[in-house]
Amino acid sequence: MPPTPEQPHLNGAYYGPSIPPKTKSSNRPSRRRGGGGSCNPLTCCFSCICSCIFNCIFQILITLAIILAIITLILWFVFRPNVPKFHVDDVTLTQFNLSETNDTLHYNLAVNMTFRNPNRRLGIYYDKIEANGLYHGVRFSTADVVGFYLGHKKENNVSAVFKGEQVVSGVKGKYEAENGDGVFKIDLKLRLKIRFKVWWMKTPKFKPKFDCDLKVPLSVKGRVSDQKFERTKCDFDW
């Protein structure tokens, strides 16, 4: 067996055989017959048209939104709208008895109210006024108030009467506690349908509400509470 020839001494890293340089033909992507690399002219044209249409619609919507916001801001500065005001001026409670056997509440309640329009340039149509009487969250009566129109900086005094009987549950303990003092916590909630009038134009109907927390003294023959009813401002909510 012949002796193995000595390998030459390698000084440094060995990188293997050199790689031949790439030719121009090797840099070009290969084209295959039947491939989908090229774009169909009709498809490209349709895509461009759709993109242009969507961009135009988007720009139009943005422009309309900006114009509407500017008009709304101008109208607000011109008219300076304020929410309607509502007060309960006086309340007369001549009967408020809760039966011990079947939780039937017998009541006779008269309420005098004032609606006020604080706006200088807006009129208010009160198309519907529904007044609800509640005792600790339990409704015991409903009365409808005749609608009206309230002009600029005007007030209107109206009244509502709640009379009858109604079964109420879960209020016996609170009734007994308040019956000793002769002052009852009664809530008056108004549900409205209103429209605003601007010059000759009328807005669509809104459905706001007024909430009034009242402390009503009982006034019956032979028993008059020491406390007097205080005029109460009610909260407005959309």
Side-chain angles (χ1 to χ4, degrees):
M1 184 175 182
T4 304
E6 296 182 358
Q7 297 292 332
H9 179 70
L10 297 178
N11 186 12
Y14 176 70
Y15 298 98
S18 60
I19 301 174
K22 295 182 179 180
T23 61
K24 294 184 179 180
S25 60
S26 61
N27 292 332
R28 295 178 183 177
S30 59
R31 297 182 180 179
R32 300 178 180 178
R33 294 183 180 180
S38 61
C39 177
N40 190 337
L42 293 178
T43 304
C44 293
C45 182
F46 180 75
S47 300
C48 292
I49 292 175
C50 291
S51 178
C52 292
I53 292 175
F54 287 137
N55 289 334
C56 290
I57 293 175
F58 181 75
Q59 292 177 2
I60 291 173
L61 292 177
I62 293 296
T63 304
L64 291 177
I66 294 174
I67 294 174
L68 183 61
I70 294 174
I71 293 175
T72 302
L73 186 62
I74 293 174
L75 291 176
W76 186 87
F77 275 109
V78 170
F79 295 102
R80 294 294 180 94
N82 295 308
V83 298
K85 306 297 182 182
F86 177 74
H87 290 81
V88 175
D89 301 317
D90 190 23
V91 176
T92 302
L93 183 64
T94 57
Q95 185 182 16
F96 206 72
N97 302 323
L98 183 65
S99 174
E100 297 181 356
T101 57
N102 55 5
D103 291 336
T104 299
L105 179 67
H106 301 267
Y107 54 89
N108 190 352
L109 175 69
V111 183
N112 295 323
M113 306 166 284
T114 297
F115 291 84
R116 181 173 178 268
N117 179 10
N119 296 285
R120 295 181 179 274
R121 298 179 179 87
L122 296 176
I124 303 176
Y125 285 96
Y126 287 89
D127 295 325
K128 183 178 180 180
I129 305 173
E130 180 187 278
N132 298 288
L134 296 90
Y135 184 59
H136 289 285
V138 181
R139 186 174 62 178
F140 61 86
S141 185
T142 299
D144 292 326
V145 180
V146 179
F148 53 87
Y149 171 75
L150 202 56
H152 312 153
K153 307 292 288 187
K154 298 293 184 181
E155 292 184 354
N156 190 22
N157 298 321
V158 298
S159 61
V161 177
F162 305 89
K163 184 177 181 181
E165 60 182 44
Q166 178 66 36
V167 175
V168 293
S169 302
V171 298
K172 187 175 182 180
K174 297 176 181 178
Y175 173 83
E176 291 176 351
E178 295 175 358
N179 189 37
D181 298 332
V183 179
F184 298 94
K185 295 181 180 180
I186 298 176
D187 299 332
L188 180 66
K189 297 183 181 293
L190 270 62
R191 301 296 179 261
L192 312 171
K193 288 184 180 180
I194 65 175
R195 291 173 295 161
F196 292 98
K197 181 181 179 182
V198 183
W199 295 319
W200 69 92
M201 299 179 294
K202 299 176 183 177
T203 66
K205 290 185 179 181
F206 297 95
K207 297 180 179 181
K209 57 185 178 181
F210 284 113
D211 292 340
C212 312
D213 298 329
L214 309 177
K215 294 182 179 179
V216 184
L218 182 64
S219 177
V220 296
K221 186 177 180 179
R223 182 183 178 183
V224 179
S225 175
D226 296 334
Q227 298 188 25
K228 303 296 182 182
F229 179 80
E230 297 181 0
R231 187 172 186 261
T232 304
K233 180 181 179 181
C234 302
D235 296 328
F236 181 86
D237 189 12
W238 291 106

